[in-house]
Amino acid sequence: MGGGGGGSVPSIPRSICSAVHRKYLSTQHTAQLSIAQHETTTEPRPRTGPAARRLALLPLGAAAVVRGGGKPLVTAITKDAATKLYTAPLKDSRPLVLDLSGPLIWSTCPPKYPSFECHHHVCAHAHSYHPPDCPRTGHGVPDEDDPFRCKCTAHPYNPFARKAGSGDLTRVTVTANDTDGENPLHPVSFPAVAASAPHSLLAKLPAGAVGVAGLARSRVSLPAQVSRAQKVANKFALCLPSGGQGVAIFGGGPLFLLPPGRPDVTMTLAGTTPLRRNPALPGYFISAKGVAVNQEQVQPPAGPPVVGLSSRVPKRVTPPLAAPFELCYDSRELGSTRLGYAVPQVDLMLEGGANWTVFGGNSMVQVDDNTACFGFVKMDKEEKAAPAVVIGGFQMENNLLVYDEEKKQLGFSSLLFGRQTTCSNFNFTLAA
């Protein structure tokens, strides 16, 4: 899944994509999830020189409030209509784009901000993963105001524009609410390690976004820092919306969705599977042992031929704006069910025995009023250590995913439509 399957990590072969397309035909977007201790620190030194004016990040002010330690934090998630990316109001209540493969938080900054020294241990953590096509320049540069001081330089990366930058490692104020799993309780803010970034690095992000919140498996990712600041479990529950507001809870659960009286979704998951690591990438990776379409296992082209007949195949169409999708249909000829279009289900057969089932609500992308496309595409470019299969944001919408770094496992709910609820049914009204 998005971030998984490369190198020594077992994964679905790339050749499977063509076989899945053929099987799909015979029987009848993508944000990426590769399935790839409270620190005692000295405060970073404030920067006020000319370089500080070129890069901006708000320093932690005296007015910052940390409340309710010991409770998970909740934030709303919004899907941007133009870019199809997901944002959360995490940086001083301003939106950051959520990146499951990102190892750190980064943002543009105000004229004055603090910076870490090169020898600080968080500087080493920020350099644990190096962005692709970014020159290695060491951990820092001389401070303009103090030539005897080395300030830590980080390398924020925008995966959507495939562009890296350089900026001081600093602190920003993360804002959210603590929660009991049913409602937000109190506003919470705390200082988080982040990289400052030039405004040019915001290219291709949603309008109004000020940076990226990295959610990957590193010590300076957002989930790891929430875990230390709030003294909660190093795990998070992610429920991406198809519209309206979704929800993320950092620190675990519980998570209750409307209507009232429903059980905790984190305790009624459809399955779990081990999380695997890829040494070259910080994302989330899982192992898939096979793929089935309409409950029949798909063989790669080198294996036995795929043979299938259907009593009715919807008319294929090729609208000019459907790229990169290969299989598109007149959606007026597709039946509807509670789980989306009435099309064959796709099962990822995962390590540990669980199946991640993709129903029509997550497999068919509506590209215009009358056209729906099969939302699985071939990778354009196979990067070094890239996973064989990337599960995109569209496939994750209205599914609860629990990334548990402590148990090193991924939990998933399956499509919530089957429970007569959605990711947009969290009650964001502050508890009385």
Side-chain angles (χ1 to χ4, degrees):
M1 310 198 116
S8 62
V9 181
S11 58
I12 304 172
R14 288 174 176 79
S15 57
I16 258 323
C17 189
S18 296
V20 168
H21 279 178
R22 288 200 299 274
K23 186 66 176 177
Y24 209 78
L25 281 170
S26 71
T27 58
Q28 260 281 68
H29 239 346
T30 330
Q32 107 172 13
L33 146 76
S34 285
I35 317 225
Q37 318 176 3
H38 191 61
E39 298 171 342
T40 301
T41 63
T42 55
E43 283 302 308
R45 179 175 172 176
R47 295 289 303 114
T48 57
R53 298 188 181 94
R54 293 195 296 269
L55 300 170
L57 256 191
L58 189 67
L60 177 65
V65 177
V66 180
R67 299 177 60 179
K71 292 186 180 296
L73 298 186
V74 65
T75 186
I77 300 174
T78 301
K79 181 178 180 180
D80 180 63
T83 64
K84 311 303 183 188
L85 299 177
Y86 307 90
T87 65
L90 290 164
K91 196 245 175 179
D92 298 313
S93 299
R94 300 175 71 187
L96 296 177
V97 177
L98 302 179
D99 179 13
L100 281 164
S101 298
L104 78 165
I105 304 166
W106 64 261
S107 172
T108 53
C109 313
K112 297 180 180 181
Y113 61 91
S115 65
F116 285 95
E117 295 187 2
C118 298
H119 63 77
H120 201 289
H121 65 278
V122 296
C123 188
H125 296 322
H127 284 266
S128 296
Y129 296 95
H130 200 75
D133 304 320
C134 181
R136 294 186 179 274
T137 57
H139 283 191
V141 296
D143 193 321
E144 293 90 343
D145 292 345
D146 183 355
F148 297 102
R149 179 181 186 266
C150 176
K151 62 178 182 176
C152 181
T153 300
H155 299 288
Y157 180 63
N158 180 338
F160 314 105
R162 296 192 174 186
K163 183 178 179 182
S166 294
D168 297 341
L169 191 67
T170 182
R171 287 194 188 276
V172 298
T173 301
V174 167
T175 50
N177 288 274
D178 61 9
T179 183
D180 58 3
E182 295 189 75
N183 301 87
L185 299 178
H186 313 96
V188 172
S189 61
F190 68 92
V193 176
S196 59
H199 284 270
S200 60
L201 206 60
L202 300 178
K204 296 190 177 181
L205 298 187
V210 294
V212 166
L215 305 180
R217 305 176 78 180
S218 85
R219 288 186 60 82
V220 288
S221 69
L222 177 64
Q225 295 197 66
V226 171
S227 173
R228 294 192 294 271
Q230 290 292 104
K231 298 180 175 59
V232 291
N234 188 5
K235 63 179 181 178
F236 64 98
L238 186 70
C239 210
L240 297 178
S242 55
Q245 288 188 324
V247 59
I249 293 184
F250 297 94
L255 173 62
F256 297 93
L257 297 172
L258 297 172
R262 301 270 175 166
D264 172 13
V265 187
T266 67
M267 298 301 292
T268 56
L269 298 174
T272 62
T273 191
L275 285 171
R276 298 303 183 188
R277 283 193 179 274
N278 183 327
L281 299 169
Y284 295 91
F285 299 84
I286 59 175
S287 298
K289 296 183 175 181
V291 178
V293 176
N294 212 27
Q295 299 183 331
E296 292 187 31
Q297 188 162 354
V298 172
Q299 297 292 335
V306 177
V307 179
L309 299 173
S310 174
S311 59
R312 183 169 177 273
V313 179
K315 180 181 178 183
R316 285 189 64 186
V317 296
T318 52
L321 300 179
F325 304 113
E326 298 180 26
L327 301 180
C328 296
Y329 303 94
D330 185 336
S331 58
R332 293 169 295 185
E333 297 185 18
L334 295 173
S336 295
T337 74
R338 191 172 66 182
L339 300 175
Y341 282 119
V343 296
Q345 69 185 49
V346 178
D347 287 290
L348 298 181
M349 294 175 284
L350 304 176
E351 179 182 5
N355 282 6
W356 180 329
T357 302
V358 182
F359 297 101
N362 291 120
S363 67
M364 299 299 293
V365 181
Q366 196 76 38
V367 296
D368 61 34
D369 289 345
N370 300 319
T371 307
C373 297
F374 185 53
F376 290 79
V377 299
K378 296 178 182 179
M379 293 185 182
D380 290 335
K381 181 181 178 182
E382 297 181 4
E383 298 177 354
K384 182 179 179 182
V389 174
V390 175
I391 296 297
F394 182 78
Q395 280 76 41
M396 293 185 283
E397 288 180 357
N398 292 305
N399 288 254
L400 177 70
L401 300 177
V402 180
Y403 300 80
D404 192 331
E405 184 64 12
E406 297 186 355
K407 293 183 179 179
K408 297 189 169 37
Q409 72 177 22
L410 174 74
F412 49 93
S413 68
S414 192
L415 185 61
L416 292 172
F417 294 172
R419 306 184 189 203
Q420 298 182 314
T421 190
T422 74
C423 284
S424 297
N425 279 351
F426 184 78
N427 186 354
F428 277 101
T429 304
L430 280 172

